[in-house]
Structures are given as structure tokens and as C-alpha cells.
């Protein structure tokens, strides 16, 4: 709709003009129509005007007029949004009459709209939003100011089924808000009070649900009631579930009717998943499971081909099978021990057979649900057997062993079915690079699917437990499937892949003798299959599976040199195979085997003339002749890994072999240097630069694995490498001087910068991996550091911002962290070169130079941690810059930078506290601004994840002052009363700061917070709760996600679980992948 000549600003002024008696709803409708019309020329302007109108403090007083008179649905939603905003942010400061007015209007509107069936249908979305507005009011007013809400709602529900249906929806929303979403939107006491009230009133709510389920004939009301009941079942008193006819009604009245089956099953799933209850409830769960299976048997038998039925079923059928998976999985996880009792064992096995059928369905989400149950069962049985094996050493051992055998026997047929399903559905491991695309072609994988990787991990662990429980059954299934592949009975890429992925996943789960027998058959069959099959795609698939399987069994390879040698030579063959992905996987597998079996290659083996590495280095040019540069680099890394072994059995000349290994890149380097000596211009030819980059990358990979031994190699070209760095620096500077900043985008300049970066990366790796005897810190600090300072630091400081490499910051961070006090005298020079110029680059905004940002603060943290005293050997203006840069970091919107800033500040304050000669001067200059800055960051809503450090810093700084450790005045003594102390001043200062910043806070709220914040008896956890409750009060019930305030607890819980899981996994042979085990020999 055209807006005429009126500007949007004038419309907003007209709408909010206090002299206009009647609000112009039609004018608002026109503005909203323009804002939502994608082709309106006024759309952007109208949107801006709407936002301006929404921020008007009195617009909420027009909400009822808009809701009653507007003809535009979006205008009405706008009015509800305005109401929501005032309820969430200003409710407590509104006069009581206005609060009652909003409350009464909203209730009246809800009742009016939900009492008319035609309105309910046509305005369903709007009524849902209106219900949410009512719940927002409830969160403010109920129960203290609105004690009759639940009785009134229940009473009105019995007057009309249509009204009742909406009332049930309101109860569902209320339950969700209080029990699911409350933690990060309401203060702790408020949540507790609302939960107590909802629990106390539940008898009335239950009676209403029971009345509806018993008497109503209205399908939509019955479904709404079942859905609401499902939300309640997670928290209601157990008596309402087990001492009422609820389970019987759900199972025998609603589950048997297709229309209600899925909603009833959701309720039964909630009940079945209840755990850690008193033993008196065990028989009730046994009866529930048994009766459920009887009803399920009337729908389909456990022998049905459920995968086919799922493929051909309706959407409701598919939902039913997914919810059935949730029911069976949840019930078994919660009540396995109860169902194992003799009187319910038959039902248990029948239920598990149903779950096997559900597991066969071709749906990733359904299989994931089933997999969780199988993982739990297999782990439970393994633990039981393992504990009994330990107990078997005692007097009652035979009794426990008998019980364990009986359990395994009871589950035998079910577990065979589970093994079959998991092997046939095995997810792709991360190491496999060759996949079948959507067109059926074999290609190299381009992206990692994290969901598939996570599923593989769970499937792998489950199969390891199942193998421990009966390795003969697992082996029999796998070898049978392998025979089907070899003889062509069941040949397909997918079948071979899933089988080999499963074979690779059980590495370590068999004894060495069993593993040897099994693997000899597998590897021989796979190598035979590779010779037998024709076609590049077939060979690529078989090759990838051979490489994956052998890469997973380093224990077998270490014990059988001939097999290891055959496998490595086969990998060398695959390195000449041009199919996409095969060469990559061959190099990756060779690297993996080199890491796990390195000693076998560097020591003399039976019937061999020399250690294998000597032959390998001699043949190296022909082996790598068809490889791409990145594959060559992986190969060099693998050989470097072998050379890193310096155990007592290793008698080879490692220095000589390293020299021989590096002959090819060294010869190429020598030729380039000779040409440069004759004509330096050859160094800046693109082909030469690219060759230098390849040589440096190759050296970097070798350095990474051989460690300190690399000193011998670096010495051969260190000076020349710095000369190359200097030449490229000068050429880049010349290009910038002649053509300006645009020169950094030129192809040649970018290539030269890449070469410089590789020099920096190689130096960084060398220093990081340095150590005695070849490269001790003192000799590195004296021999390698001084020559690099001028070419690298001088170039960094002189260059324009766009030509400075963040790798310089990484290099000097490593120098300080690794060499520590050996370079403390160089720190002022390093800081002088990089500090101020980098700070100017990164403080202009929050977006430019992102890599420099994080690297700069890591550099600063390394100085603060390892060379703190050096910070006070720099000029005072630079000391202020250090503090300013830390403050700037913690205000950054990038989480890793803001958290690094907070950590640096905390370490800085700790170091200052331990250094009396600088402490008081530091406190006087920086403490007050730092407190204000931390407060500003904590309350800006953008840095919730940093709450733990905000609280830690504030408590530390408050306590410094309260404990009189700050002896210099933080205030101006000339303008303060005699005897005025730092603690008194700081409390007043914080109170005034909060009063100005948050006008909705009352004086009593501010006083209570400040007194608590300075309480020396309050420990850190108590201080965090005090601070968190205060923050939630500032924006109580905000729609924002405040879960970041609880990040520390979440992280700690996660870390505890990870540590426990790691300990449990380490105890089970085969659970850790070979790459996760530190047994590299």
C-alpha cells in the first residue's frame, strides 16, 4: 500500500503525539503493510520506523486499541510484542492499576478468542502468541499476586470444550516455562517458588486431565490433553501415575486407537523412562512392559520385516516407529535390572527382539536411538562379566561366574542379531577418504560429516563390547560376510565397506592369538580380492579397505614383520595409483604405521640384511615419483617419525640417515642458491618461489617428527634461508612503496609472502620441538635467536599493516614460552618491534586482521606468564598500552579473544600482587578503571560465556580493597572527608555506577548486591550465585538465552564426565583406537 508523501518519521511522531486523543490504527496498518511488503519501495524505511515506534516508552498503552481495531494481522502481532517487552522489562515499576489492566485485558482476550470454535481455527497462530503473553504475566504475578489462577483455569475449562482445549495449551506452556526454560530467565528463589506452587496445585490439573480423557469425545481436545500430560509426566508426584488409572487409560483406551497412538506412546515413554525409583515400583514397571508388548503384538509381531513396512508406511506410521524406538530404548536403559528378574525375562527378550527389528529400519535417527540402548546393554554385560572375573578370585567366584554366564546365555540370540545389524550398518570411520557419491561414483571425500564420525564412535564401542562377550560369534559373522564378498554372492561396495569398517573397529578386542588367526584370513582375502576384481573403482574401494584395516592393527603388524613388510610394499604400490583418494590414503596409512611401528623399521629384522629404513631411503626417489607435493610431505613426515626413535636397540646412524633422507630437497635448494649467487633475480621467479615453499614445507614436516635431531639439517641452510627471507621482505617493501597497499594483492607478492610464512613456520616448529642434547634452550637462545631478530622483527615493524605476517607473533610467542628466561633480555626489543604497530592494526575495529588479534594476545599472555618482569622494563606509556590492550581484548565480541583477555588480566593481577615494588603504583593507576571495565563487559549481554572470569576478577579486586591490600588512595584525598577509606569509597562508587546504568533497579536491590559483593566470608561459588542472581534481575525473564552465565558449571560437568569416560574406556581392551594409545614403537 502506498504511503503517500508522508515520511515515516512524521508518521511515528503523529502516532505518538500526546495531544491526539485517538490512536490512528489505520495509519499503523499502512506502515506495517509497507514493512512486510517485499516489493514496497518504503520497506526499509517502514521497518526502521517500526523499530523506533517499538522503543517508544508509551506505545504499550496503545496495544489494546491496536489489538481490537487493526485489520492487519502483523499489526496485532506487533502489539503483542510491545506488550511482551513491557511485561519482561518494566513490569515491576508499573503502577498496580496498570499491571491489573494489562492482566485483565489479556485474560479477557484469551477467553473471548478461545471460546469460539471458528475463531480458534482461523486465529490459531495469534492465540498461541496470546497464550505466551499470558504466561509471561504469570511468570511475574503467579503465585504471589494471582493465587487463584489454577483453580479459575480448571473451573472455566469445564464450561466449554473449546475453551478447555486452549486452557490445556496454557498449562503446557506454563509447565515448559517453569521446568524447562526457567533457569536462565528467573532468579533461583522465584523458580523454586513457582515449582512448589505448580506441584501443590497439580491435583486440580490432574483432575481436569482425567475428566477430559474420561468424558470428552473431541479428538483435538484429547490430543492436546495427551500432549500436555506428556510435559507434566517428567515432574509430577509419582502417586498420580501409579495410584490412578492413568497407565491403564493410556495403554488400553488411547494406545489401541491409531488417531491417539503416537501421543499416548509419548506419555508411556515418559513413564517408562522414569528411573532411580524405590523398589516398590518395580512390579508396576514389569506389568507396564508386559502389557505394552501384548498391545504392540496386536499391531505387528516381532518377526515382521519392519524395514520394508517403514519404507511403505504413512508419515504417522514412521512417527510411531520412531517413538517405539524411544519407548523401548528408554525403558530398557531405565529398568534393565528389573526386567531381568525371572518373572519378566520372557517379556525382556521379546522387547529386545522388537528393538532389533526397529534397528533394521533405514533411518539414521531411529538407528541412533536404538544404538544408545545396545551400547548400554553391551557395556552393562561386559562390566558384569569383567567384575565377576575379578570376583572369581574370591570364595564366591564360581557363583558370580555362573550368574554372568547365565546372563550372557539369556541374551545370546538377541546379541547375534545386534552384531548382524551393527556390522551391516557400520558408519564410515574418519580415516577413510574414498566414498561413493550420490551418483554412484567412487570419489575422494571433500568434507567430514561430524554426525557420521560420532555415530561411528558409538557403533565401534558397542561392537568392541559385543566382541568381548563372544568373539567367536563376531568373527563367524564377519568371516561369513567376507566369504560372500570374495565369492561374489553378496558383492557390493557398501557391503564390503561396512564389513571392513567393522573389522577395523574391533582392533584390540581379541587376544593376540585370536587376532592373528582372524587377520591373516582377512588380509589374504582382501589382497586376493584386489587381484581378482577388475575396474578402477572396484580396485579403489578394495584398496581403501585394505589400507583402513591394516592401519587399525599395529599390534599385529609389530608382531609379524613379514606381514608388515608386505603391507608397506603394497602401500608403496598404491602410491602409484592415480584414482582420486588412493594415494592420499596410502600416504596417511603409511604415516600411521610409521608412528605405531617405527622401531621395526630402524632395527634389523630377521632374515634382513639392513634395517628397512636404509632400503627405503635408497629407493625413496622411485617410491615418491608419482606423488603430489602434499603427499610427498606426508611421506617425509613418516620417515622422520621412524628416525625419531632413539631407543637402546637403535644402532643406525640417525644423523647420516637424516642427511640421506633430505638429499633430494637439499640438492634442489643448493641449485637454487647457486643460481641466486649468480643472479639474485632468479629468487623472485614464481617457479623458484614455489619450489622453495615445497622444500620448506618438507623440512617442516620432518622437523615436526624428528625433533631436536633436525638441528643438523637446519644448520646446513639456516643462514641462506634468512637471506631468502630478507630478499623477499625487501622486494615486497619495494612493491608497496611503488604501488601502495594494493601491491599486497598481486600474485607475485602473495607468493613471496607464502615463502616468508613457511620460513617462520619452520623456525617455529624447530624451536617448539627443540630440546637436549642436540638443541638445548641456552644454545638455541644464543645461536639461533640473535640472527633472526633483525630480518624478521625489523621487517615486521617497517612494513605496512597489510604486509605484516601473524606468523611472526606466533614465532615469538613460541620463543618466549619455550626459551623463557634465556631470552628475557630480548623481550623489550621484541615488544618494541611488534607491540605498538600491531595494536594500531587491531584496535581500529573488531573485524580487520582477525589472525593478528588472537596471535597478539597469545603473545602478550606468554610474556605475562614467562617474562613478567620484562613488562616493567618497557617505557611507562607502553605499560599503559599493555593494560589498555587487555581491556580491549576482553571487550571483543570474538569469544576466544575476550576470554584470552580475561585470563591475561587475571594472571596480570596475580603477578602484580606478587611483585610489591610495582603493585601500589599499578593499583592507583588501573584498579578503578579495570573494575568499571569488567562490570561493563559483564552487563553488556554479549559476553555471558565469560561470566566465570568476570566473577573471579571482580571478587579478587573487591577483596583486595576490602582487605586493605591497596594502601594508596583510589580517590582524590583533597576532595574527600578525613578518614575516608578505600573500601567505603569503592562501595559508594559501585552503587552510583549501578544507579546511573540501570534505572529499573531499586536502591534496596543495589545496596543488597554491593554489601554481598564485599562480604569476605563469601567464597567464590557463593559470589557467583550472588552475581548471577543480580544479573538475571537486570533483565529478568528476558527472551535471551542466559545459559552462558552457567557455562562454568556446564564445562566442569562435561570435563568430569569426559575424565570418567576416558578412565572407563582405557580399562576396556580395544575401546581406544590404536591412534589414541601411546605405544609408538
Amino acid at each position: 500500500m502506498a504511503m503517500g508523501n508522508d515520511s515515516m518519521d512524521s508518521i511515528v511522531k503523529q502516532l505518538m503525539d500526546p495531544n491526539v486523543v485517538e490512536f490512528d490504527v489505520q495509519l499503523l496498518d499502512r506502515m506495517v503493510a509497507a514493512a512486510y511488503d517485499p516489493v514496497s519501495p518504503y520497506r526499509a524505511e517502514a521497518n526502521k520506523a517500526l523499530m523506533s515506534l517499538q522503543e517508544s516508552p508509551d506505545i504499550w498503552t496503545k496495544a489494546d486499541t491496536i489489538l481490537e481495531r487493526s485489520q492487519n494481522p502483523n499489526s496485532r502481532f506487533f502489539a503483542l510484542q510491545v506488550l511482551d517487552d513491557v511485561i519482561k522489562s518494566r513490569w515491576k515499576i508499573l503502577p498496580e492499576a496498570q499491571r491489573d489492566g494489562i492482566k485483565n485485558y489479556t485474560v479477557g482476550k484469551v477467553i473471548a478468542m478461545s471460546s469460539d470454535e471458528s475463531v480458534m481455527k482461523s486465529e490459531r497462530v495469534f492465540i498461541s502468541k496470546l497464550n505466551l503473553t499470558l504466561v509471561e504475566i504469570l511468570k511475574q504475578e503467579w503465585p504471589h499476586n494471582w493465587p487463584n489462577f489454577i483453580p479459575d483455569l480448571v473451573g472455566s475449562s469445564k464450561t466449554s470444550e473449546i475453551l478447555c482445549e486452549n486452557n490445556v495449551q496454557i498449562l503446557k506452556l506454563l509447565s515448559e516455562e517453569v521446568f524447562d526454560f526457567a533457569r536462565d530467565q528467573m532468579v533461583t528463589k522465584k523458580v523454586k517458588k513457582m515449582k512448589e506452587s505448580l506441584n501443590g496445585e497439580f491435583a486440580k490439573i490432574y483432575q481436569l486431565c482425567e475428566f477430559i480423557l474420561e468424558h470428552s469425545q473431541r479428538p483435538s481436545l484429547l490430543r492436546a490433553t495427551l500432549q500436555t500430560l506428556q510435559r507434566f509426566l517428567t515432574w509430577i508426584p509419582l502417586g498420580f501415575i501409579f495410584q490412578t488409572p492413568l497407565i491403564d487409560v493410556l495403554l488400553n483406551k488411547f494406545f489401541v486407537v491409531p488417531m491417539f497412538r503416537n501421543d499416548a506412546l509419548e506419555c508411556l515413554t515418559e513413564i517408562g523412562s522414569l528411573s532411580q525409583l524405590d523398589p516398590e515400583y518395580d512390579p508396576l514397571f514389569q506389568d507396564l512392559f508386559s502389557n505394552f508388548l501384548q498391545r504392540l503384538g496386536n499391531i505387528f509381531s516381532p518377526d515382521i520385516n519392519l524395514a520394508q513396512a517403514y519404507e511403505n508406511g504413512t508419515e504417522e506410521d514412521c512417527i510411531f516407529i520412531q517413538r517405539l524406538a524411544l519407548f523401548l530404548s528408554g525403558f530398557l536403559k531405565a529398568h534393565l535390572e528389573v526386567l531381568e528378574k525371572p518373572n519378566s525375562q520372557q517379556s525382556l527378550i521379546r522387547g529386545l527382539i522388537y528393538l532389533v527389528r526397529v534397528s533394521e529400519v533405514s533411518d539414521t535417527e531411529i538407528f541412533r536411538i536404538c544404538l544408545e540402548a545396545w551400547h548400554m546393554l553391551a557395556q552393562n554385560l561386559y562390566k558384569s562379566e569383567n567384575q565377576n572375573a575379578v570376583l572369581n578370585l574370591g570364595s564366591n567366584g564360581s557363583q558370580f561366574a555362573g550368574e554372568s554366564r547365565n546372563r550372557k546365555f539369556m541374551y545370546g540370540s538377541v546379541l547375534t542379531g545386534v552384531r548382524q545389524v551393527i556390522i551391516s550398518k557400520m558408519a564410515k570411520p574418519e580415516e577413510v577418504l574414498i566414498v561413493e557419491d550420490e551418483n554412484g561414483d567412487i570419489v575422494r571425500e571433500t568434507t567430514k560429516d561430524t554426525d557420521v564420525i560420532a555415530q561411528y564412535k558409538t557403533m565401534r564401542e558397542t561392537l568392541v563390547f559385543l566382541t568381548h562377550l563372544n568373539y567367536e560369534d563376531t568373527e563367524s559373522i564377519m568371516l561369513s560376510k567376507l566369504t560372500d564378498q570374495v565369492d561374489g554372492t553378496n558383492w557390493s561396495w557398501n557391503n564390503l565397506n561396512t564389513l571392513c569398517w567393522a573389522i577395523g573397529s574391533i582392533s584390540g578386542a581379541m587376544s593376540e592369538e585370536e587376532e592373528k588367526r582372524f587377520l591373516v584370513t582377512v588380509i589374504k582375502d582382501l589382497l586376493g580380492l584386489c587381484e581378482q576384481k577388475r575396474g578402477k573403482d572396484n580396485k579403489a574401494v578394495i584398496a581403501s579397505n585394505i589400507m583402513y584395516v591394516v592401519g587399525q592393527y599395529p599390534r599385529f603388524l609389530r608382531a609379524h614383520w613379514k606381514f608388515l613388510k608386505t603391507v608397506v610394499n603394497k602401500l608403496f604400490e598404491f602410491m602409484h595409483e592415480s584414482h582420486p583418494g588412493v594415494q592420499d590414503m596410502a600416504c596417511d596409512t603409511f604415516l600411521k604405521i610409521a608412528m605405531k611401528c617405527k622401531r621395526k623399521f630402524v632395527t634389523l629384522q630377521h632374515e634382513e640384511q639392513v634395517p628397512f629404513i636404509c632400503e627405503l631411503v635408497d629407493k625413496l626417489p622411485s617410491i615418491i615419483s608419482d606423488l603430489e607435493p602434499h603427499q610427498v610431505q606426508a611421506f617425509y613426515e613418516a620417515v622422520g617419525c621412524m628416525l625419531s626413535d632413539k631407543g637402546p636397540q637403535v644402532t643406525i646412524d640417525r644423523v647420516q640417515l637424516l642427511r640421506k633422507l633430505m638429499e633430494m630437497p637439499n640438492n634442489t635448494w643448493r641449485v637454487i642458491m647457486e643460481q641466486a649467487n649468480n643472479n639474485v633475480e632468479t629468487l623472485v621467479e614464481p617457479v623458484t618461489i614455489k619450489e622453495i615453499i615445497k622444500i620448506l614445507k618438507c623440512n617442516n614436516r620432518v622437523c615436526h617428527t624428528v625433533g631436536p635431531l633436525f638441528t643438523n639439517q637446519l644448520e646446513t641452510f639456516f643462514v641462506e634461508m634468512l637471506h631468502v627471507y630478507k630478499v623477499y621482505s625487501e622486494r615486497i617493501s619495494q612493491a608497496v612503496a611503488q604501488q601502495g597497499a594494493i601491491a599486497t594483492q598481486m600474485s607475485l607478492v602473495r607468493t613471496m609472502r607464502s615463502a616468508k610464512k613457511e620460513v617462520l613456520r619452520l623456525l617455529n616448529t624447530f624451536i617448539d620441538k627443540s630440546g637436549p642434547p642436540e638443541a638445548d634452550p641456552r644454545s638455541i637462545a644464543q645461536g639461533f635467536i640473535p640472527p633472526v631478530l633483525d630480518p624478521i622483527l625489523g621487517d615486521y615493524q617497517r612494513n605496512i599493516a597489510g604486509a605484516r605476517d601473524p606468523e611472526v607473533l606466533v614465532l615469538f610467542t613460541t620463543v618466549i614460552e619455550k626459551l623463557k628466561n634465556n631470552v628475557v633480555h630480548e623481550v623489550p626489543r621484541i615488544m618494541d618491534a611488534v607491540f605498538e604497530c600491531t595494536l594500531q592494526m587491531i584496535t581500529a575495529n573488531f573485524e580487520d586482521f582477525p589472525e593478528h588479534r588472537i596471535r597478539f594476545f597469545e603473545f602478550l599472555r606468554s610474556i605475562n606468564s614467562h617474562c613478567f618482569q620484562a613488562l616493567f622494563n618497557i617505557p611507562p606509556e607502553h605499560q599503559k598500552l599493555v593494560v589498555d590492550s587487555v581491556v580491549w581484548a576482553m571487550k571483543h565480541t570474538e569469544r576466544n579473544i575476550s576470554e584470552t583477555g580475561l585470563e591475561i588480566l587475571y594472571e596480570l593481577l596475580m603477578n602484580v600482587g606478587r611483585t610489591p615494588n610495582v603493585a601500589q603504583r599499578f593499583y592507583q593507576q588501573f584498579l578503578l578503571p579495570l573494575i568499571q571495565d569488567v562490570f561493563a563487559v559483564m552487563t553488556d549481554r554479549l559476553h555471558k560465556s565469560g561470566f566465570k572470569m568476570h566473577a573471579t576478577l571482580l571478587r579478587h579486586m573487591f577483596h583486595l580493597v576490602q582487605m586493605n591490600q591497596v594502601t594508596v588512595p583510589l580517590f582524590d584525598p583533597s576532595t574527600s572527608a578525613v578518614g575516608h577509606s578505600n573500601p567505603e569509597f569503592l562501595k559508594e562508587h559501585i552503587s552510583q555506577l549501578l544507579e546511573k546504568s540501570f534505572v529499573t533497579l531499586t536502591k534496596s536491590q543495589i545496596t543488597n548486591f554491593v554489601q554481598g559483593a564485599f562480604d569476605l566470608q563469601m567464597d567464590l561459588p557463593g559470589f557467583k550465585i550472588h552475581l548471577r542472581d543480580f544479573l538475571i534481575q537486570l533483565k529478568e525473564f528476558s527472551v535471551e538465552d542466559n545459559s552462558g552465565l552457567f557455562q562454568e558449571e556446564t564445562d566442569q560437568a562435561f570435563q568430569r564426565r569426559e575424565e570418567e569416560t576416558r578412565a572407563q574406556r582405557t580399562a576396556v581392551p580395544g575401546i581406544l583406537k590404536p591412534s589414541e594409545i601411546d605405544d609408538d614403537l
Side-chain angles (χ1 to χ4, degrees), residues 729-865:
S729 298
E730 288 168 355
R731 292 306 171 99
I732 292 168
S733 297
Q734 283 173 20
V736 170
Q738 290 167 8
Q739 300 174 52
I742 193 71
T744 59
Q745 303 305 313
M746 290 164 54
S747 173
L748 182 62
V749 171
R750 292 217 311 269
T751 312
M752 287 191 287
R753 285 192 68 188
S754 295
K756 286 176 63 183
K757 287 172 188 280
E758 289 306 327
V759 171
L760 295 168
R761 288 177 184 138
L762 175 56
L763 288 171
N764 184 63
T765 303
F766 171 66
I767 290 163
D768 185 47
K769 297 293 177 181
S770 64
E774 296 97 339
D776 66 274
R778 182 181 291 278
S779 63
I780 296 295
Q782 291 172 355
F784 284 92
I785 299 304
V788 308
L789 291 179
D790 186 61
I792 294 175
L793 287 178
D795 170 59
Y796 185 90
Q797 190 172 20
R798 288 188 296 269
N799 247 322
I800 64 163
R804 291 187 187 124
D805 297 314
E807 286 77 9
V808 172
L809 298 170
V810 176
L811 171 61
F812 286 101
T813 300
T814 306
V815 165
I816 289 164
E817 286 181 349
K818 192 77 182 178
L819 307 182
K820 300 184 175 65
N821 289 333
N822 291 298
V823 290
V824 71
H825 57 284
E826 302 286 5
V827 169
R829 185 177 172 190
I830 296 169
M831 285 192 73
D832 183 56
V834 304
F835 197 84
E836 197 166 353
C837 62
T838 309
L839 207 55
Q840 287 168 359
M841 290 166 60
I842 65 175
T843 51
N845 55 49
F846 283 151
E847 288 79 38
D848 296 342
F849 307 107
E851 182 76 5
H852 290 76
R853 289 170 195 280
I854 190 63
R855 301 305 171 205
F856 175 78
F857 291 109
E858 286 171 354
F859 167 71
L860 190 54
R861 180 163 59 185
S862 68
I863 294 175
N864 189 28
S865 300

Side-chain angles (χ1 to χ4, degrees), residues 133-281:
T133 302
L134 178 59
V135 170
E136 290 298 337
I137 297 172
L138 282 170
K139 282 156 66 176
Q140 300 282 4
E141 293 288 283
W142 182 76
H144 55 289
N145 289 338
W146 202 349
N148 298 325
F149 170 72
I150 298 288
D152 289 349
L153 186 93
V154 170
S156 68
S157 297
K158 295 181 180 176
T159 61
S160 156
E161 279 197 310
I162 305 159
L163 179 63
C164 180
E165 189 174 330
N166 192 57
N167 287 352
V168 167
Q169 296 283 4
I170 292 169
L171 287 171
K172 180 174 82 169
L173 289 172
L174 184 60
S175 174
E176 288 173 347
E177 288 293 332
V178 173
F179 285 91
D180 298 340
F181 310 138
R183 186 173 106 149
D184 59 344
Q185 294 184 2
M186 292 186 276
V187 293
T188 316
K189 288 180 185 175
K190 176 73 172 175
V191 175
K192 187 171 179 236
K193 182 73 174 167
M194 290 183 80
K195 286 183 177 179
E196 287 170 356
S197 299
L198 208 47
N199 255 314
E201 303 270 16
F202 187 72
K204 298 182 184 70
I205 298 171
Y206 179 78
Q207 286 161 13
L208 173 63
C209 294
E210 190 178 46
F211 180 81
I212 296 166
L213 295 177
E214 189 176 338
H215 296 100
S216 178
Q217 299 298 312
R218 181 182 172 87
S220 60
L221 173 57
L222 289 167
R223 290 197 67 179
T225 305
L226 288 170
Q227 289 163 11
T228 299
L229 197 58
Q230 185 261 333
R231 302 300 194 280
F232 292 151
L233 286 168
T234 56
W235 57 266
I236 62 174
L238 294 175
F240 289 108
I241 299 173
F242 296 107
Q243 293 166 20
T244 65
L246 177 61
I247 293 176
D248 183 60
V249 169
L250 290 170
L251 205 50
N252 299 317
K253 182 174 180 179
F254 291 102
F255 182 70
V256 293
V257 179
M259 183 191 300
F260 304 116
R261 181 171 295 149
N262 288 342
D263 292 318
L265 184 51
E266 267 207 297
C267 292
L268 290 167
T269 301
E270 290 294 350
I271 295 170
S273 301
L274 292 170
S275 58
Q276 297 178 331
L277 306 184
D278 294 337
E280 65 193 77
Y281 293 103

Side-chain angles (χ1 to χ4, degrees), residues 18 275 360 556 656 688 783 826 859 876 949 1009 1069:
S275 58
E360 291 167 351
F556 170 79
Q656 178 59 33
T688 307
E826 302 286 5
F859 167 71
M949 286 305 299
F1009 167 70

